[in-house]
Amino acid sequence: MAFISGFLTPVSESRKEEYIDSARIAWPLFKDFGALTMRECWGVDVPDGKVTSFPMAVKLEPGEVVVFSWIEWPDKATCDACMATMETDPRWQDMAMPFDGKRMMFGGFEEVFAG
């Protein structure tokens, strides 16, 4: 089954187009390293919670939106190999990060069901 890299990050509303542009630049690199699909989703209905919530998880600040994204890989080994290139491939270093990476959440997930 597939392997999924999931991301949750706060992005300033004023940097939406910059964020989308960075995703368009990143996709060909991820694809070159074996990614099958990539989804970038701009939060439009992301409520605050009392105990937990997406906004709480990323310490959302005024004027920011929660972005939820994921990359599908054929397997974990392909994902790991791609992520290792981020330290060595200069194409990654030239990319802008229009968000606060310190508040980004990410993780890897094995697919257990697909409908």
Side-chain angles (χ1 to χ4, degrees):
M1 291 235 173
F3 187 78
I4 307 296
S5 297
F7 308 90
L8 190 64
T9 192
V11 178
S12 172
E13 292 173 358
S14 66
R15 299 185 82 181
K16 181 178 181 179
E17 289 307 315
E18 188 179 347
Y19 182 86
I20 294 168
D21 290 343
S22 73
R24 286 187 178 124
I25 292 167
W27 168 238
L29 290 172
F30 284 121
K31 188 175 178 183
D32 284 351
F33 290 112
L36 302 174
T37 62
M38 183 173 93
R39 298 285 189 270
E40 298 288 341
C41 305
W42 193 259
V44 295
D45 186 12
V46 186
D48 288 322
K50 293 186 186 220
V51 178
T52 63
S53 68
F54 284 147
M56 292 169 73
V58 298
K59 299 183 187 296
L60 197 67
E61 296 177 358
E64 292 180 331
V65 171
V66 176
V67 173
F68 176 59
S69 59
W70 68 94
I71 302 169
E72 181 180 357
W73 304 92
D75 51 48
K76 185 178 184 309
T78 303
C79 173
D80 290 346
C82 175
M83 297 306 168
T85 69
M86 291 185 179
E87 299 295 321
T88 59
D89 191 316
R91 296 177 295 173
W92 295 114
Q93 276 73 51
D94 295 338
M95 293 181 58
M97 284 191 14
F99 55 88
D100 182 355
K102 293 177 185 169
R103 293 185 287 141
M104 172 192 256
M105 299 176 66
F106 60 91
F109 302 84
E110 290 182 347
E111 185 177 82
V112 295
F113 174 81

